[in-house]
Amino acid sequence: MKRRRRPELWASERMAREMGYQCVAGIDEVGLGPLAGPAVAGAVVLRVGDRLSGIDDSKKLTPLERERLDRVIRRRAVSWAVFEVPPADIDRLGLTRARQRAMEGAVRALALPADYLLIDTWDAPDLPLPQMCVIKGDATSASIMAASIVAKVHRDRAMVAFDREYPGYGFAVHKGYATAFHRQALRRLGPSPIHRLSWAPIRAVLALRRADGQP
């Protein structure tokens, strides 16, 4: 298999280093779209130029590839952290603020404090640090890719654990996304404690169940 050259992979990190910043963290969040489960952000500081074979946008990787890279990133990163915002807080804060809260929490949880942030979103966290929003950062910046991978693996594992705690919804398979099976389970079982009750599909299920005299 011919190796694809990606000269831009460390461009944002090198730009920040050239400006004098030493601890450059990539940030990304996952789990914004599902009907259930937490939103999770990752923050990762890598050694610029480190060869992390196969690193890519987490959405383009298979579960096995993500698991392998997650182990490599956690072992070789200068610093890494993840942070969850639970469903009740997503309902209370709204999705934009919950996303920001997750990113802020991940950055603050880094064992080695970051002095510059690379972010794949325009909803920048409310932190007193210089930041750069990288367009399509989860496909072009190694640090943001790494943050996306550790966040995705962490959330997927959490949803597998929730599947054991709340059987019947299929969380281990669909990870909380609005699949046909998930919607059918919602109509049959009603929302679980990890569903986002403010979301329209959940409100619709609750209304139907009340109309049928169900709890």
Side-chain angles (χ1 to χ4, degrees), residues 186-191 205-206 208-210 212-215:
L186 271 169
R187 288 193 289 270
R188 186 176 72 254
L189 302 171
V205 166
L206 288 170
L208 285 172
R209 289 175 66 83
R210 283 193 295 268
D212 292 340
Q214 295 177 284

Side-chain angles (χ1 to χ4, degrees), residues 139-180:
T140 59
S141 163
S143 298
I144 295 175
M145 289 177 188
S148 175
I149 290 166
V150 297
K152 173 67 174 167
V153 171
H154 177 92
R155 188 181 188 280
D156 283 357
R157 289 173 180 168
M159 295 307 293
V160 170
F162 281 132
D163 186 67
R164 294 191 291 269
E165 190 172 355
Y166 306 112
Y169 294 96
F171 292 137
V173 177
H174 55 64
K175 307 302 189 291
Y177 284 88
T179 64

Side-chain angles (χ1 to χ4, degrees), residues 25-187:
I27 313 170
D28 202 13
E29 77 291 318
V30 300
L32 301 181
L35 304 179
V40 178
V44 177
V45 180
L46 297 173
R47 293 176 178 84
V48 176
D50 195 359
R51 296 183 65 176
L52 301 172
S53 177
I55 195 167
D56 209 333
D57 180 351
S58 66
K59 297 184 291 295
K60 297 179 181 178
L61 300 170
T62 67
L64 285 176
E65 289 170 334
R66 285 195 296 266
E67 288 280 352
R68 179 188 66 80
L69 280 161
D70 177 73
R71 292 191 296 270
V72 172
I73 291 163
R74 291 171 187 247
R75 185 174 67 248
R76 289 167 51 175
V78 174
S79 187
W80 65 269
V82 294
F83 189 86
E84 294 186 9
V85 175
D89 286 354
I90 296 173
D91 287 332
R92 179 174 58 86
L93 297 169
L95 192 57
T96 296
R97 185 67 191 107
R99 170 194 292 175
Q100 294 171 334
R101 175 73 63 84
M103 291 190 288
E104 292 160 12
V107 171
R108 290 193 175 107
L110 288 168
L112 182 65
D115 58 8
Y116 196 88
L117 307 178
L118 301 175
I119 307 164
D120 181 37
T121 178
W122 295 109
D123 295 323
D126 184 16
L127 292 167
L129 291 170
Q131 305 167 16
M132 179 193 303
C133 290
V134 183
I135 297 174
K136 296 183 179 178
D138 58 0
T140 59
S141 163
S143 298
I144 295 175
M145 289 177 188
S148 175
I149 290 166
V150 297
K152 173 67 174 167
V153 171
H154 177 92
R155 188 181 188 280
D156 283 357
R157 289 173 180 168
M159 295 307 293
V160 170
F162 281 132
D163 186 67
R164 294 191 291 269
E165 190 172 355
Y166 306 112
Y169 294 96
F171 292 137
V173 177
H174 55 64
K175 307 302 189 291
Y177 284 88
T179 64
F181 180 90
H182 189 184
R183 289 176 181 273
Q184 290 167 5
L186 271 169
R187 288 193 289 270

